[in-house]
């Protein structure tokens, strides 16, 4: 809300800078800052970047979201820098002390606040878009001619610049239709600003900068893909398609929402990718964003995407080089501009992938496109017009589910093709996600399975596909002692055993027991979870997927093996086990884990092997009386859902897949009246769901606090939200930092270097980090890490997202001064067990 106009008279002393002398940037030469681009030139650059961005978009996307004049909004974004406070500060930075009319040290909300106030008379939404170009909504906005912004004469300067820009681009303000349209144009403005602030334009005042616009967009990765035409499913995947795969790409011929429900291992990923290819081939999409479950993304799905792109992209397509979008090479080779540079939050590949034509990332990043988070609208801009594949969507998780429904609705408005993949949805959840108005009730028959559901302009359609032949899986409830003996016995018979726990600590503990017992036997044991540094985890995934995947039979049969892990083993990784041991978890996750059994028909197995899953669980009566009988994982999965799952599986000796999937899911989640302890657990679940739903709805609101990513990114109670760099040693000499990594390799971080070298060094740092939950981070203050600030995003006032620890010879984490890393835990790291914590 604008405040009443300031009626104080203008000061008569001091001066107002001519527009041509108002600086937008400084540049550093050696250790000295010198004048950079003027505000006028920078605004023009950003406007032309926006124009070029729109030229690279398909006409149908431009016609829907980018009316003539959109470039003017982008160009005007920085007019707030035409103000005395900003100019006096920037001139001080280059060693010049000037006195300007109405200059004040009073907090005025930064230059973007001035930009919003200066455009207060523009049509609806436009001033707000301009004011949000640093990611948040400005607060305490005065009127344009307020004294704190310089008064009427400085506002005349700003208005003069607006008129210059209108003439430059020969446009006036466009019409913005609604909040979502506003978000898209805000995203265009921000991306154009970032690219227009890149190193190519450092010396814009003395060069023909228009010649650099196209190169800047190429460097940032905004390159329209060239797709080969008329490729068959066999051409891309070298496999004949199943009936369900054919039906999906035949159905998904228009923009809309499509849900593919089918058992684990039936090629849902390939089905979605081929449907995406057909959308690209038909010019119905601008790219692909493949979203995996939060925090559990596997490097292996990136490799599958890379192979897919290698098949579908023309040989002269510039997208062929940076295919592996999460890799160090991609971070090194693309320059998105100021806020996407090392030391800034959007250098992170998880965020930047949303802006690339093709990316694999987490569903969290997509969800934030509809949430009130910093730069959430940049994500909205990045997703518009794409094929968005949401993989491994489950019925469990009320927080994500609430936001997911909103995201899918928004993606439809963004002219996306949305493909949702799941083996484990209830009818109620599927219809809620897809946006159908069909109300589910208990009297409705259970839907067919497998099933393709579509919701586009033609309305809702549910298409059964060719029935699948059932396979039977033997089920046995067990305890740790019995399961350990059985796992070792099976491995001695050369079986490949998979053991899945619900927490990292439990996985580490059971691995220690199994590996000790297997010592001296012809059994290989491995451990895989999310708390290894990235380079170690990548190596481990590669090794174990080669063994448990479609490997050479001689490698698989060389010895028996036991691979222990957490939720990362239930999704994304192509793992085929002979025998499964799993801790009890909600039915949908349990089916995912069972889906790792006998995944490939042609895998050679030892004689006498049985398709069997053992479930580790307390007795139902014990669990009902005391939820702690579940161990620590009752904090990961709600005890009511665990009890409902246990109630079903305790009396089952075998299940048939796929025919039992829908039946058992609906039985787990159907509503029913409860008594005694059951009622207590149910009430606790409903309270938690309501609380999470309120938080989700609050984060979806367009008004109020702008949240940081880490504040809204929550799925599991052990969410890994803080990145920790683990090193052997660091020494700072003459402002340069020398780092020794855990493998004893070394790098030097110069205080000043060129942008490509800086990106390369930053990417190498990130390969040596591990994500951990907030309560297990080393006790290191951000001001101790300032030697990293040019290479790594350390967080802002609202979040602390990066820490550093030294690993001593005993594997113990220490602070940089050699003291213990944590007051509550002894923290350790080694390449076998990963990051672990033992309470003091």
């Amino acid at each position: 809300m604008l405040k009443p106009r300031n009626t104080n008279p203008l000061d008569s002393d001091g001066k107002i800078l001519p527009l041509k002398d108002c600086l937008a940037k400084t540049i550093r030469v050696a250790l000295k800052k010198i004048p950079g681009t003027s505000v006028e030139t920078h605004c023009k650059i950003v406007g032309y970047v926006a124009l070029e961005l729109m030229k690279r978009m398909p006409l149908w996307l431009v016609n829907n979201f980018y009316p003539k004049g959109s470039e003017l909004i982008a160009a005007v974004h920085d007019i707030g820098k035409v103000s005395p406070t900003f100019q006096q500060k920037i001139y001080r930075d280059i060693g010049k002390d000037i006195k300007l009319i109405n200059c004040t040290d009073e907090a005025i909300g930064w230059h973007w606040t001035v930009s919003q106030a200066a455009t207060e008379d523009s049509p609806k939404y436009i001033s707000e878009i301009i004011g949000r170009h640093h990611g948040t909504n400005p607060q305490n906005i005065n009127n344009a001619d307020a004294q704190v912004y310089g008064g009427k004469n400085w506002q005349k300067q700003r208005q003069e610049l607006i008129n210059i820009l209108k003439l430059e681009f020969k446009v006036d303000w466009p019409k913005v239709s609604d909040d979502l349209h506003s978000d898209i144009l805000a995203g265009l403005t921000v991306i154009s600003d970032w690219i227009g602030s890149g190193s190519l334009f450092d010396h814009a005042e003395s060069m023909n900068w228009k010649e650099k616009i196209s190169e800047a967009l190429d460097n940032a990765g905004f390159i329209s893909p060239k797709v080969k035409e008329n490729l068959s499913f066999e051409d891309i995947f070298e496999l004949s398609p199943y009936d369900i795969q054919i039906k999906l790409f035949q159905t998904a011929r228009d923009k809309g929402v499509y849900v593919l429900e089918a058992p684990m291992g039936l090629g849902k990923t390939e089905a979605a990718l081929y449907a995406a290819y057909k959308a690209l081939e038909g010019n119905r999409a601008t790219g692909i964003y493949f979203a995996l479950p939060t925090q559990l993304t596997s490097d292996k799905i990136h490799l599958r995407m890379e192979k897919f792109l290698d098949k579908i992209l023309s040989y002269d397509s510039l997208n062929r080089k940076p295919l592996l979008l999460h890799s160090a090479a991609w971070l090194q080779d693309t320059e998105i501009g100021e806020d996407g540079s090392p030391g800034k939050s959007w250098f992170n590949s998880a965020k930047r992938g949303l802006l690339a034509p093709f990316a694999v990332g987490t569903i969290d990043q997509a969800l934030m496109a509809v949430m009130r988070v910093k730069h959430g609208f940049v994500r909205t801009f990045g997703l518009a017009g794409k094929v968005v594949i949401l993989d491994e969507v489950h019925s469990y998780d009320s927080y994500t589910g609430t936001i997911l429904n909103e995201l899918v609705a928004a993606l439809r408005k963004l002219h996306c093709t949305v493909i949702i993949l799941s083996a484990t949805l209830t009818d109620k959840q599927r219809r809620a996600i897809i946006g159908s108005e069909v109300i589910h009730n208990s009297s409705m028959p259970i839907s067919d399975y497998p099933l393709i559901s579509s919701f586009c302009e033609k309305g809702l359609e549910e298409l059964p596909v060719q029935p699948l032949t059932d396979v039977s899986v033997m089920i046995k409830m067990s305890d740790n002692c019995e399961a350990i003996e059985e796992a070792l016995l099976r491995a001695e018979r050369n079986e490949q055993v998979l053991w899945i726990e619900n927490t990292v600590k439990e996985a580490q503990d059971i691995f220690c027991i199994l590996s000790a017992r297997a010592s001296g036997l012809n059994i290989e044991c491995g451990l895989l979870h999310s708390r290894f540094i990235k380079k170690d985890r990548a190596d481990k995934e590669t090794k174990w997927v080669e063994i448990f995947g479609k490997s050479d039979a001689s490698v698989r049969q060389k010895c028996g093996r036991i691979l222990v892990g957490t939720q990362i083993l239930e999704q994304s990784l192509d793992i085929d086990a002979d025998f499964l041991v799993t801790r009890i978890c909600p039915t949908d996750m349990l089916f995912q884990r069972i889906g790792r059994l006998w995944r490939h028909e042609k895998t050679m197995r030892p004689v006498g092997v049985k398709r069997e899953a053992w479930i580790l669980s307390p007795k139902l009566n014990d669990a009902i009386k005391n939820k702690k009988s579940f161990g620590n994982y009752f904090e990961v999965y709600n005890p009511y859902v665990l009890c409902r799952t246990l109630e079903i599986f305790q009396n089952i000796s075998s299940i048939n897949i796929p025919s039992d999937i829908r039946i058992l899911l609906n039985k787990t989640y159907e509503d029913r009246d409860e008594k005694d302890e059951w009622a207590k657990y149910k009430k606790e679940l409903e309270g938690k769901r309501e609380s999470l739903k309120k938080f989700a709805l609050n984060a979806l609101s367009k008004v109020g606090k702008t949240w940081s990513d880490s504040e809204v990114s929550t799925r599991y109670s052990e969410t890994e939200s803080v990145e920790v760099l683990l090193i052997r040693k660091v020494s700072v000499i003459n402002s340069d930092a020398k780092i020794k990594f855990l493998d004893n390799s070394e790098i030097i971080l110069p205080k000043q270097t060129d942008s490509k070298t800086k990106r390369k060094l930053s990417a190498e740092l990130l390969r040596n980090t591990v994500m951990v939950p907030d309560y297990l981070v080393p006790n290191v203050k951000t001001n101790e890490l300032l030697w990293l600030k040019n290479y790594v995003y350390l967080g802002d006032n609202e979040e602390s997202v990066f820490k550093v620890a030294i690993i001593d010879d005993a594997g113990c984490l220490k602070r940089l001064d050699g003291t213990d890393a944590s007051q509550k835990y002894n923290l350790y790291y080694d390449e076998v067990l990963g990051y672990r914590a033992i309470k003091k």
Side-chain angles (χ1 to χ4, degrees):
M1 179 69 69
L2 295 177
K3 294 182 177 180
R5 291 192 174 274
N6 193 315
T7 56
N8 293 335
L10 283 170
D11 295 334
S12 57
D13 53 0
K15 66 175 183 177
I16 295 177
L17 279 181
L19 196 55
K20 65 181 180 64
D21 293 330
C22 289
L23 296 176
K25 309 279 180 185
T26 61
I27 55 177
R28 186 179 290 275
V29 177
L31 297 178
K32 183 181 178 182
K33 287 184 178 180
I34 63 172
T37 313
S38 70
V39 176
E40 181 178 337
T41 300
H42 174 64
C43 287
K44 289 178 179 177
I45 290 171
V46 171
Y48 279 103
V49 169
L51 267 177
E52 180 64 21
L53 273 169
M54 291 184 286
K55 286 179 184 176
R56 298 185 179 205
M57 298 174 186
L59 190 60
W60 54 265
L61 191 63
V62 174
N63 288 342
N64 277 289
F65 296 121
Y66 301 102
K68 187 176 181 180
S70 298
E71 64 272 29
L72 178 63
I73 298 176
V76 168
H77 76 288
D78 259 356
I79 62 167
K81 290 182 176 179
V82 180
S83 60
T85 302
F86 184 88
Q87 290 304 313
Q88 186 154 299
K89 179 182 181 298
I90 202 168
Y91 271 92
R92 281 177 183 167
D93 284 348
I94 60 175
K96 294 184 179 181
D97 193 10
I98 58 174
K99 295 189 181 297
L100 300 172
I101 283 180
N102 294 333
C103 188
T104 174
D105 290 329
E106 179 184 343
I108 59 170
W110 310 100
H111 71 269
W112 50 91
T113 304
V114 185
S115 293
Q116 179 165 338
T119 52
E120 64 187 18
D121 294 330
S122 60
K124 188 177 180 181
Y125 293 111
I126 288 174
S127 66
E128 287 85 355
I129 294 172
I130 292 168
R132 288 195 290 163
H133 78 264
H134 275 267
T136 59
N137 297 318
Q139 304 295 320
N140 301 320
I141 301 169
N142 292 276
N143 285 105
D145 56 4
Q147 300 294 346
V148 291
Y149 300 159
K152 291 181 179 179
N153 284 353
W154 279 93
Q155 174 58 14
K156 285 180 182 178
Q157 293 269 70
R158 294 188 285 268
Q159 188 58 55
E160 180 187 344
L161 179 53
I162 292 173
N163 293 334
I164 289 171
L165 295 171
K166 286 181 176 180
L167 289 172
E168 177 72 24
F169 294 102
K170 299 180 176 62
V171 293
D172 207 332
W173 298 118
K175 180 181 179 181
V176 184
S177 57
D178 55 27
D179 287 330
L180 188 65
H181 191 196
S182 170
D183 284 348
I184 296 170
L185 291 174
L188 174 73
T189 299
V190 168
I191 295 302
S192 301
D193 182 27
W194 290 356
I195 296 172
S197 301
S199 59
L200 280 176
F201 304 107
D202 279 351
H203 303 283
E205 300 297 342
S206 58
M207 58 183 265
N208 184 353
W209 50 262
K210 287 186 180 180
E211 295 179 349
K212 297 290 185 180
I213 297 290
S214 184
E215 181 183 352
L217 265 72
D218 288 349
N219 290 348
F222 286 93
I223 303 167
S224 300
K226 296 180 181 179
V227 177
K228 296 177 186 176
E229 296 182 353
N230 301 317
L231 295 176
S232 67
F233 190 94
E234 292 91 333
D235 291 334
I236 298 173
F237 301 109
E238 300 175 1
L239 296 167
S240 297
Y242 294 118
D243 176 65
I244 196 166
Q245 293 170 323
I246 295 170
K247 284 256 179 75
L248 180 67
F249 64 74
Q250 287 178 340
T251 303
R253 290 180 173 174
D254 296 306
K255 301 181 187 74
V257 183
Y258 304 89
V259 180
L260 171 56
E261 294 172 279
M264 303 66 63
L266 201 66
K268 293 189 291 294
T269 298
E270 288 77 11
L273 288 175
Y274 191 71
Y277 160 71
K278 298 302 287 184
L280 290 165
E281 181 194 35
N283 192 34
R284 302 193 308 274
T286 59
I288 303 170
Y289 185 70
F290 198 112
L292 289 158
T294 307
Q295 303 296 349
L296 303 177
T297 304
S298 163
D299 281 356
K300 298 304 149 192
I301 197 68
H302 290 274
L303 295 173
R304 290 170 74 180
M305 175 72 108
E306 183 180 39
K307 290 178 181 177
F308 166 73
L309 294 176
D310 192 47
K311 292 282 190 180
I312 71 164
L313 292 178
S314 299
Y315 291 107
D316 61 343
S317 179
L318 294 176
N319 306 92
R320 289 183 65 84
K321 184 180 178 183
L323 299 182
L324 200 57
L325 298 179
H326 73 306
S327 68
W330 178 65
L331 290 174
Q332 177 182 332
D333 292 340
T334 57
E335 180 183 5
I336 201 172
E338 188 174 31
D339 277 48
S341 62
K344 304 290 187 179
S345 68
W346 276 75
F347 183 71
N348 186 310
S349 62
K351 296 182 182 182
R352 289 175 63 188
L354 286 164
L355 303 174
F358 304 104
V360 174
T362 66
I363 199 169
D364 270 9
Q365 290 298 328
L367 292 171
M368 289 182 203
V370 292
M371 300 172 76
R372 196 176 63 258
V373 296
K374 190 173 183 181
H375 287 128
F377 49 81
V378 175
R379 297 170 170 92
T380 310
F381 167 82
L383 291 173
K386 286 182 176 169
V387 176
V388 179
I389 301 170
L390 305 175
D391 195 16
E392 307 283 10
V393 175
H394 304 301
S395 293
Y396 188 75
D397 189 354
S398 55
Y399 171 73
T400 298
T402 299
I403 305 170
L404 183 62
N405 299 346
E406 186 75 15
L407 171 66
V408 171
L411 291 174
R412 288 191 66 209
K413 295 177 184 177
L414 291 171
H415 291 259
C416 294
T417 299
V418 186
I419 301 174
I420 298 166
L421 307 178
S422 180
T424 53
L425 281 179
T426 63
D427 286 335
K428 182 178 180 181
Q429 181 67 358
R430 179 183 71 256
R431 288 166 179 155
I433 292 173
I434 207 169
S436 164
E437 294 182 1
V438 175
I439 304 300
H440 177 78
N441 59 61
S442 57
S443 64
M444 293 178 66
I446 294 177
S447 299
D448 291 305
Y449 187 92
L451 185 71
I452 294 172
S453 304
S454 70
F455 192 44
C456 49
E457 289 184 0
K458 295 180 289 186
L460 173 69
E461 289 186 273
E462 294 186 346
L463 308 172
V465 297
Q466 190 177 84
L468 301 173
T469 302
D470 271 342
V471 296
S472 181
V473 179
M474 298 173 66
I475 300 294
K476 178 176 178 177
M477 308 306 290
S478 180
D479 58 31
N480 273 20
C481 293
E482 186 184 20
I484 288 170
E485 298 303 325
E486 186 70 14
L488 290 167
L489 178 64
R490 300 277 188 128
E492 281 190 284
R493 298 200 301 238
N494 273 22
E495 292 188 35
Q496 311 300 303
V497 178
L498 195 61
W499 187 304
I500 303 180
E501 292 285 352
N502 293 334
T503 70
V504 172
K505 185 180 186 306
E506 287 171 323
Q508 290 168 331
D509 290 345
I510 204 70
F511 168 80
C512 289
I513 295 170
L514 287 166
S515 59
R517 290 285 307 276
S519 179
L521 303 175
N522 189 30
I523 297 173
E524 184 180 3
C525 292
L527 177 64
L528 191 54
H529 53 71
S530 57
R531 289 186 206 154
F532 288 100
I533 62 172
K534 291 184 177 68
K535 62 194 305 185
D536 285 351
R537 178 175 167 184
D539 291 343
K540 288 177 183 296
E541 284 190 359
T542 298
K543 172 185 174 178
W544 288 101
V545 169
E546 285 178 356
I547 293 171
F548 274 67
K550 298 176 182 177
S551 62
D552 185 337
S554 63
V555 175
R556 186 179 178 101
Q557 295 177 339
K558 185 176 180 180
C559 68
R561 298 176 180 87
I562 304 174
L563 176 58
V564 179
T566 56
Q567 289 93 342
I568 65 171
L569 295 177
E570 76 187 38
Q571 53 208 11
S572 307
L573 293 176
D574 186 11
I575 283 178
D576 179 333
D578 296 321
F579 175 59
L580 172 69
V581 179
T582 173
R583 194 69 58 180
I584 188 78
C585 59
T587 299
D588 26 357
M589 278 71 172
L590 200 52
F591 274 121
Q592 289 293 128
R593 297 178 186 187
I594 292 170
R596 307 298 115 179
L597 272 174
W598 293 37
R599 192 173 174 89
H600 303 304
E601 292 181 5
K602 296 181 181 180
T603 298
M604 294 184 65
R605 306 186 194 280
V607 176
V609 67
K610 294 179 288 187
R611 192 191 304 243
E612 191 169 6
W614 285 25
I615 301 172
L616 304 174
S617 173
K619 300 295 183 183
L620 180 59
N621 287 339
D622 293 338
I624 294 171
K625 291 175 183 176
N626 184 5
K627 63 184 178 183
K628 291 185 179 180
S629 63
F630 282 118
N632 291 329
Y633 57 93
F634 78 85
E635 296 179 355
V636 179
Y637 301 119
N638 186 272
Y640 179 68
V641 179
L642 291 174
C643 286
R644 291 286 296 266
T645 301
L646 179 53
E647 183 183 34
I648 293 169
F649 280 86
Q650 68 173 355
N651 297 317
I652 290 177
S653 59
S654 67
I655 57 172
N656 294 315
I657 294 177
S659 62
D660 284 343
I661 290 179
R662 180 89 76 198
I663 295 168
L664 296 184
L665 278 172
N666 283 340
K667 193 172 181 181
T668 302
Y669 290 106
E670 67 185 359
D671 191 30
R672 70 185 191 192
D673 294 331
E674 303 287 11
K675 295 180 180 179
D676 303 323
E677 290 299 319
W678 280 100
K680 178 182 175 182
Y681 280 169
K682 183 181 180 183
K683 184 177 180 180
E684 180 183 295
L685 172 64
E686 290 174 341
K688 184 176 180 181
R689 282 184 172 171
E690 188 61 29
S691 175
L692 288 173
K693 185 176 180 180
K694 284 181 180 178
F695 182 71
L697 292 172
N698 185 34
L700 289 166
S701 169
K702 292 294 181 182
V703 297
K705 174 186 175 183
T706 300
W707 303 84
S708 67
D709 291 11
S710 58
E711 285 178 298
V712 299
S713 178
T714 174
R715 184 179 174 88
Y716 299 107
S717 62
E718 286 203 331
T719 297
E720 285 116 352
S721 58
V722 180
E723 203 158 12
V724 182
L725 173 65
L726 300 179
I727 56 179
R728 295 281 181 205
K729 184 180 179 182
V730 60
S731 54
V732 180
I733 305 171
N734 298 326
S735 299
D736 294 344
K738 184 178 181 180
I739 293 176
K740 179 184 282 190
F741 292 121
L742 302 189
D743 62 2
N744 293 320
S745 62
E746 295 182 338
I747 62 170
I748 294 176
L749 305 179
K751 186 173 182 180
Q752 296 297 326
T753 187
D754 63 273
S755 60
K756 185 166 185 177
T757 300
K758 186 181 289 187
R759 294 197 300 275
K760 179 180 179 180
L761 292 170
S762 181
E764 186 60 29
L765 289 169
L766 295 177
R767 290 183 68 234
N768 287 274
T769 61
V770 58
M771 297 294 290
V772 301
D774 183 66
Y775 68 94
L776 292 182
V777 300
N779 183 22
V780 180
K781 295 181 179 178
T782 301
N783 61 14
E784 299 177 59
L785 306 178
L786 297 182
W787 47 277
L788 272 173
K789 69 176 182 178
N790 291 329
Y791 293 90
V792 174
Y793 178 61
L794 300 176
D796 56 25
N797 294 332
E798 297 178 348
E799 57 181 345
S800 180
V801 296
F802 198 90
K803 302 292 183 182
V804 178
I806 304 288
I807 306 296
D808 68 14
D809 292 340
C812 208
L813 270 69
K814 301 291 183 183
R815 295 177 59 184
L816 301 182
D817 62 5
T819 58
D820 285 354
S822 171
Q823 294 179 342
K824 294 183 178 180
Y825 296 91
N826 290 316
L827 301 175
Y828 301 91
Y829 185 86
D830 64 71
E831 63 181 16
V832 175
L833 293 175
Y835 195 101
R836 56 198 174 96
I838 300 175
K839 208 159 191 175
K840 289 182 176 180

